[in-house]
Amino acid sequence: MSPTSPLPASTSPETASGTVLIRSAADVSDLVNSGTARGRHARMIVIIALGGIFLDAYDLSSLAYGLPDITKEFGLSSAMAGLVTASISVGSLLGALLGGWLVDRIGRYRVFMANMLFFVVTALVCAVAQDAWTLISARFVMGIGVGMDIPVAIAFLAEFSRLRGKGSKGSRTAAWSPAWYAATSGCYLVIMLLYFVLPDAQLGWLWRFTVGFGAVPALVVLLLRRRYMNESPTWAADQGDLESAAKILRQSYGVDARVADDVPANTPRPPRPGPASYARLFTPPYRARTIQSVTVGIAETFGYNAVAFGLPVIIATLMTQGPLTTIASSFALNLVFALTGGLLGIRWASTKGAWPMMSLGFTIQLVAIVVLGLIGAPSGTAVVTAGILMLGAFMFAQGFGPGAHIMSYASLGFPTSMRGVSIGFNQAVLRLGSTLTLFFFPILSTGLGTDVYWVILAAPVLGLIALLVKRWEPVGFDADAEERALAGTGAAARS
């Protein structure tokens, strides 16, 4: 069997009088993967996980429009403006590494519950910051929360979903993309509403209200998490705690799951992973998947941060449009193009897979950037409209292609035992790319003008190269079954 082919699911756990008997972690994994176990709490956990991603995107996007006002208010140089925007990415880089390890070591639930406090407190501190260094420090700490949240949120999306079909792991990990763009659209909607509400003399404070508003949804998600969240049953079972896994199945899925009587009571538990667990990402069969997921991720994050995050800069500066046009265009591009693409990404994930959608997305982005580079500085309504439509095409392709499926590549090819570190490592590398992009993009756009498009062109080119080198399809792949098969092969070889 090819290492990239989905492994067959094992048979369902034995049932007796409506009771599901659990004898191993494989029984728990197969029960969730089959989709026969469904429950209201399990669906709420998926929604809450997407709510965490919504907050990540809102906080990352909330300063996009306000950067010129921040630069003016604090008298920042281009380098300091880049530091303001990049500080959250530096924090998220560290948060991803720490969070990825903790997610596998102490569980999904504990990390999930802890990091909401980062969002509430830091959003309020950013809103009242009186100098650039306070703002930079608060955004850095906020980034730690963002970095910790993504590994645990994606792990929940994967581990509370069936392997194939409607509501599959592929569809739900792809759902992080429309959640992200719903947040960025919501952010621009908040900005637009505040633009009309605030007096002209107070428009310089618009960024403060926008950033501070992020504390409101954070509190809502925190309250929902306290009521509905539960540990991942597959993680609990993978730790050897079958009793807890059965309890979670009863609470979250409404399944009468019980540990079989013939299972030894004192089953030894596997050692908890330490920081060295990141080294496992570079052992077969995970090495090639790690390298490919990181490479397509770097391409995606470079293109996203330069174009999507930089929309206000591109429209206001490179296209020389006024503030209202800039806000309205940024809102429409996120809502109409990116969010629509993300919703289609969910629909297509299970039927078409991640590889074809990523390849098509990068191809459309390549064409869009080439056209923008040829247009240069637009003059006249028709040319400006064409330029904005090319930005829309880029965002649409981002939504269903690389934006949706970088998480599929980072999570679905890796088993429960190392899913946290795989996502954490992937996100850490991506955040390093984000940090460099957010720091240098204001400098490059100022120095190069519209020639900056030819620099951005490197993103889709790199993504296509990485996909063409190895056609690896993570959607529908059972990494836990593969891990068990590899363990069985190793045990047989040693005997």
Side-chain angles (χ1 to χ4, degrees), residues 55 69 72 94 105 120 138 153 161 166 186 204 223 237 288 335 409 419 431 439 468 479-480:
L55 287 169
D69 289 325
K72 181 179 179 181
L94 298 176
R105 182 175 177 83
V120 176
S161 306
K166 185 178 180 181
L223 292 174
L335 183 64
Y409 275 84
R419 184 166 288 125
R431 295 307 173 191
F439 180 80
L468 293 173
D480 286 318

Side-chain angles (χ1 to χ4, degrees), residues 357-495:
M357 292 298 94
M358 290 271 278
S359 301
L360 179 60
F362 278 129
T363 300
I364 293 174
Q365 289 182 338
L366 187 149
V367 173
I369 294 300
V370 168
V371 173
L372 285 167
L374 294 175
I375 289 175
S379 58
T381 303
V383 181
V384 169
T385 301
I388 290 177
L389 286 175
M390 286 300 101
L391 290 174
F394 185 99
M395 300 286 284
F396 177 73
Q398 177 78 6
F400 74 76
H405 293 296
I406 56 166
M407 293 303 179
S408 300
Y409 275 84
S411 63
L412 301 185
F414 302 87
T416 300
S417 61
M418 59 188 298
R419 184 166 288 125
V421 296
S422 68
I423 302 170
F425 178 77
N426 181 275
Q427 283 295 300
V429 176
L430 266 58
R431 295 307 173 191
L432 177 60
S434 296
T435 302
L436 296 175
T437 304
L438 293 174
F439 180 80
F440 285 109
F441 183 73
I443 301 172
L444 288 173
S445 61
T446 300
L448 296 177
T450 57
D451 285 340
V452 76
Y453 292 128
W454 302 114
V455 178
I456 299 172
L457 187 63
V461 170
L462 176 63
L464 285 171
I465 291 173
L467 290 171
L468 293 173
V469 166
K470 179 179 177 62
R471 181 162 182 161
W472 154 248
E473 180 54 69
V475 173
F477 186 82
D478 192 341
D480 286 318
E482 179 193 54
E483 183 183 46
R484 293 193 296 269
L486 291 172
T489 302
R494 289 191 297 270
S495 62

Side-chain angles (χ1 to χ4, degrees), residues 275-295:
S277 58
Y278 281 100
R280 190 181 172 196
L281 295 171
F282 296 94
T283 60
Y286 307 115
R287 183 191 302 117
R289 300 173 198 174
T290 299
I291 293 172
Q292 186 177 46
S293 69
V294 166
T295 304

Side-chain angles (χ1 to χ4, degrees), residues 195-245:
Y195 181 85
F196 287 110
V197 170
L198 291 175
D200 290 344
Q202 302 300 323
L203 284 179
W205 281 24
L206 191 151
W207 69 270
R208 294 185 181 273
F209 289 101
T210 304
V211 173
F213 184 79
V216 176
L219 284 171
V220 173
V221 172
L222 182 61
L223 292 174
L224 288 174
R225 286 182 176 185
R226 290 182 61 85
R227 179 172 182 179
Y228 291 104
M229 289 306 292
N230 215 330
E231 184 54 80
S232 161
T234 53
W235 180 85
D238 195 63
Q239 298 300 301
D241 192 355
L242 295 181
E243 288 289 353
S244 292

